[in-house]
Amino acid sequence: MKIQSLFTKAFALTLVCISVMVLTIFRLTPSLAVSTTTTPTAQLSATPVIIAQYDLDSGRSGGRSLYKRLGEYDGISAVIDDTAQYVFNDPLIGKYFIGLSTNSKQRLGELLKAQFCQAAGGPCVYTGRPMKLSHSGIGGGLTNEEFNAFVNDIAQALDKNGVKTKAKNEVLAFAESLRGEIVER
Ligand code: HEM
């Protein structure tokens, strides 16, 4: 009987010791206490494209991000769909898109949406190529006049979708910030 009680006490003591050790280790190295599931490397290294020189803070108005004021993703999507139509039919720059397959045009639209959504402070990640790389050499190098035509098409699409002047100017300022990477002559 006495031996049994001794064993019980020893067992209880061992349990307490183990608990203290486990708690001490976890406190000293908190990382052990955190779930071991990590963000996949692919996600972390997703396209290191920097959305150029656009100060996202300036995109806030009365606490509402530009993304919200544009009507979130659906609002941006509608503006880009219209922009694409204007650009593809633009008398000056439409020629550059004639050879693109339907799928390439769709992909371009999706990339533009992600790019503007991210720049406006939305929860999107632009995964396309940097602007310099994707535009270098188009038509022997894009001109300021061609760039202006593209920006005018964006402006027309913003008007069509009833985007307010302040938000419109912010979107155009972002587009303008890309001029140096896109225009080559
Ligand atoms: C603010 C102005 C512009 C923006 C934001 C813009 C944005 C983009 C984006 C996001 C892409 C996709 C990049 C990729 O494929 O990874 C792209 C591709 C393209 N852009 Fe622009 N772009 C602008 C101006 C222009 C202008 C002025 C032209 C021609 C006049 C142009 C012609 C093209 C063409 C032809 C492609 C397709 C390239 C390909 O498929 O390889 N872009 N642009």
Side-chain angles (χ1 to χ4, degrees):
M1 200 59 187
K2 220 171 179 187
I3 289 178
Q4 200 182 351
S5 142
L6 258 176
F7 263 119
T8 315
K9 279 183 184 160
F11 183 68
L13 201 66
T14 312
L15 268 184
V16 170
C17 284
I18 290 173
S19 308
V20 169
M21 276 165 64
V22 167
L23 281 174
T24 312
I25 289 170
F26 270 61
R27 194 171 291 185
L28 289 177
T29 54
S31 59
L32 282 178
V34 176
S35 155
T36 50
T37 48
T38 52
T39 315
T41 350
Q43 213 169 310
L44 286 175
S45 62
T47 333
V49 171
I50 291 156
I51 300 281
Q53 313 111 6
Y54 190 65
D55 177 7
L56 289 179
D57 281 334
S58 72
R60 302 189 79 85
S61 174
R64 293 182 81 217
S65 68
L66 176 57
Y67 173 73
K68 289 244 178 242
R69 286 178 285 129
L70 288 171
E72 304 195 348
Y73 190 82
D74 286 351
I76 292 171
S77 179
V79 169
I80 296 298
D81 284 342
D82 288 330
T83 300
Q85 284 319 306
Y86 294 141
V87 165
F88 297 156
N89 295 303
D90 191 294
L92 187 67
I93 58 176
K95 61 185 176 202
Y96 295 121
F97 302 88
I98 290 171
L100 294 187
S101 67
T102 307
N103 181 255
S104 293
K105 285 183 187 169
Q106 277 165 353
R107 180 177 170 275
L108 176 57
E110 296 311 318
L111 287 171
L112 279 167
K113 287 172 192 179
Q115 187 185 34
F116 279 76
C117 166
Q118 181 176 331
C124 307
V125 178
Y126 173 71
T127 57
R129 292 168 291 171
M131 291 295 92
K132 203 170 181 55
L133 193 65
S134 54
H135 295 87
S136 179
I138 294 179
L142 292 170
T143 64
N144 273 307
E145 200 192 357
E146 290 171 325
F147 186 86
N148 292 344
F150 196 104
V151 174
N152 279 336
D153 291 334
I154 300 175
Q156 216 182 309
L158 289 163
D159 285 342
K160 186 186 169 208
N161 287 275
V163 173
K164 296 208 178 101
T165 310
K166 186 171 185 298
K168 177 183 169 186
N169 288 339
E170 287 166 28
V171 173
L172 296 179
F174 167 64
E176 189 56 45
S177 77
L178 303 172
R179 185 183 290 269
E181 293 172 65
I182 292 174
V183 170
E184 293 188 306
R185 66 192 167 99

